Structures are given as C-alpha cells and as structure tokens.
Amino acid sequence: MSEFTVSALVLKRRDSGETDRRLTLLTVELGKIDVIAKGAKKSASRLAGVSDPLSVASMTLAKGKVNQFVTQAQPSRSFPGLRRDYDRLSLAFAWVELLAVILPWGEPDENAFELAISALKQLEDHPKPIVALIWAEQKLLELSGHQPSFETCSVTGTSVKEAEAWVSASAGGYVSRGHENGFSDRILVRAEVLYGLSRIGKLERPPTNLKYSDECIPVLMEFWKHILDTPLPANEAVKQQLRHAHLNVDS
C-alpha cells in the first residue's frame, strides 16, 4: 500500500471492532475524510492519544482496497486549555460537530482548515469563549454558502427597524413585520442580537465582547437545524447550558 502524509484535525471518532477506531479527519490535503486507526483503542497504542477529537497531527495514511489507514502520527497540537475547562471543551465539541456535518467529503479547502484551527485557538484563549464560538459559526455559515441575512429582510430587502424582530431559518434570516406569517419556524429576537450576528461575521477575529451573546446561540441553532437536518447533540448541550447560565456569557 502506498503511503502519504496529511496535516489533520480529528473531528470525530467511533469504535471499529474490538481494538480499532474510525476517525473523521479534516485535512489540508484531502479535505474531510474517514480513516481507520488500527489498535487505537489499546491504551499502549501509539495512535491512542492522536485519535482523540480536537487532536491535530501529521498523519501518515495508507490506502487499502476500501479504507484508508493511519500508519503513523506525530501530534502537533492538543489544545490543553480546552481539556482543562469543561465549558470551553463543550464549546469546542460543538464546533467540531458542525464541521463534521457541514463540510463536504473529499474536497480540500485550506480556508476551512485554517478556520477550524483558528476557532479552536480562540475557544482555548478567549476571555469569553462563547463569543469566539459565535464568531466561528458565522464564519462557517459564510464559508459554506449559507450566510443568513440578519440586517435586511430576506423577503423585501428592507433594514431592521423594530426593537424586536422576526427571524426565520427557512426564510434565510430577518423577516420584516407583516411578512412573518408565511414562516412557521419564525422566532422573535432583540434587534441587537441580529445586529451583533451580522457584524461579528465581518471581523477577522472575535471581539472581546458581544452584547446578548447568550441569545445569539439559539438563533444560530435554528439555522443549523434547518441547513443540516440532523441531530446535533453537542450543540444542543451548549444551548441547554446557556439556558441554565453555566457558561461565562454577557447577558
């Protein structure tokens, strides 16, 4: 089997047989791929540590008749600050869950890989990690071609004028008064939330603060559910944690 090396971020892992793990990787060279890490479930395996989600490594792969296999791995980053902080770790798992679902298979995109790593660094270091997650999600919506219209009505093109505004994922964003009845998934939010979501996505890095950041995540969740149409347990867990005020947010 011919071998080749990729720079990889582990997005997801599943057990495969008694000793192996199947990994979903985001790589610079091949995009999103699935590989088998043989023996990685064994504690003594050299692949055990690098098969954990959020691990970044240089991996040597061998292509078999059906699957690709990890034969060697050299870790390059593990984000220890995330692993020491439950709240930050929860947000990081929510982030890679989105990446694992929305990114296409086998389509290399250096921008996607750079965003994935940059967001994890921000989640590790940012004084308000929820702000970093909102920024990253907005960037991912844009990168994937699903950027909502938060400041202008997706039906009429008019700007937000209400103090509380309707937003609908099926409509593609903000819906002005009088046009909301056609969208059963509409929710009512503060206009400041829509302004914040629109502006944060235009920034090269997350701001130090974002007003009503705890109200932004449920809005974004509506769009992810509509776009992906698949369960997102890690993201639902973050939403519930926010509801119970367990995360460091500015409300």
Side-chain angles (χ1 to χ4, degrees), residues 172-221:
Y174 160 63
V175 181
S176 57
R177 298 280 180 176
H179 297 275
E180 74 276 7
N181 290 332
F183 305 101
S184 60
D185 64 341
R186 66 189 184 275
I187 57 174
L188 197 61
V189 301
R190 302 174 198 257
E192 291 99 327
V193 170
L194 300 185
Y195 296 145
L197 286 170
S198 178
R199 292 165 186 168
I200 197 173
K202 300 172 184 176
L203 303 176
E204 290 301 313
R205 64 183 69 245
T208 55
N209 197 14
L210 179 66
K211 195 173 184 180
Y212 304 121
S213 56
D214 57 330
E215 297 178 29
C216 292
I217 288 293
V219 174
L220 291 171
M221 189 66 181

Side-chain angles (χ1 to χ4, degrees), residues 5-231:
T5 301
V6 298
S7 298
L9 164 66
V10 181
L11 302 178
K12 184 178 178 181
R13 81 175 187 198
R14 290 88 73 204
D15 289 344
S16 179
E18 293 185 4
T19 62
D20 303 340
R21 284 175 174 162
R22 180 177 290 273
L23 311 179
T24 299
L25 307 178
L26 179 60
T27 73
V28 174
E29 298 82 2
L30 302 174
K32 187 176 73 173
I33 58 172
D34 260 3
V35 300
I36 302 293
K38 295 189 72 64
K41 287 175 63 178
K42 299 177 180 178
S43 58
S45 170
R46 52 195 168 82
L47 300 180
V50 294
S51 65
D52 290 335
L54 310 182
S55 296
V56 183
S58 176
M59 295 189 180
T60 301
L61 308 180
K63 188 172 180 60
K65 291 183 179 180
V66 177
N67 297 305
Q68 297 184 91
F69 298 89
V70 183
T71 59
Q72 299 180 58
Q74 180 64 42
S76 55
R77 183 155 189 164
S78 61
F79 302 101
L82 295 176
R83 301 176 191 280
R84 291 194 298 264
D85 186 310
Y86 175 79
D87 289 343
R88 292 179 187 272
L89 186 62
S90 297
L91 299 181
F93 282 144
W95 171 237
V96 295
E97 179 180 70
L98 292 175
L99 294 171
V101 178
I102 199 168
L103 294 178
W105 293 99
E107 295 186 16
D109 186 340
E110 190 172 346
N111 290 331
F113 188 85
E114 289 178 357
L115 175 61
I117 300 300
S118 175
L120 290 173
K121 291 177 182 176
Q122 292 291 344
L123 289 169
E124 183 178 39
D125 298 330
H126 198 283
K128 295 197 173 185
I130 193 68
V131 175
L133 180 62
I134 293 165
W135 170 82
E137 290 193 20
Q138 275 290 75
K139 289 292 189 182
L140 183 59
L141 284 166
E142 180 183 6
L143 183 72
S144 61
H146 296 287
Q147 179 62 54
S149 175
F150 284 129
E151 285 194 305
T152 58
C153 176
S154 55
V155 178
T156 66
T158 57
S159 300
V160 178
K161 296 181 176 65
E162 309 91 336
E164 290 190 323
W166 292 106
V167 64
S168 161
S170 62
Y174 160 63
V175 181
S176 57
R177 298 280 180 176
H179 297 275
E180 74 276 7
N181 290 332
F183 305 101
S184 60
D185 64 341
R186 66 189 184 275
I187 57 174
L188 197 61
V189 301
R190 302 174 198 257
E192 291 99 327
V193 170
L194 300 185
Y195 296 145
L197 286 170
S198 178
R199 292 165 186 168
I200 197 173
K202 300 172 184 176
L203 303 176
E204 290 301 313
R205 64 183 69 245
T208 55
N209 197 14
L210 179 66
K211 195 173 184 180
Y212 304 121
S213 56
D214 57 330
E215 297 178 29
C216 292
I217 288 293
V219 174
L220 291 171
M221 189 66 181
E222 291 297 313
F223 285 88
W224 291 122
K225 288 191 297 184
H226 176 74
I227 294 163
L228 302 174
D229 192 28
T230 191

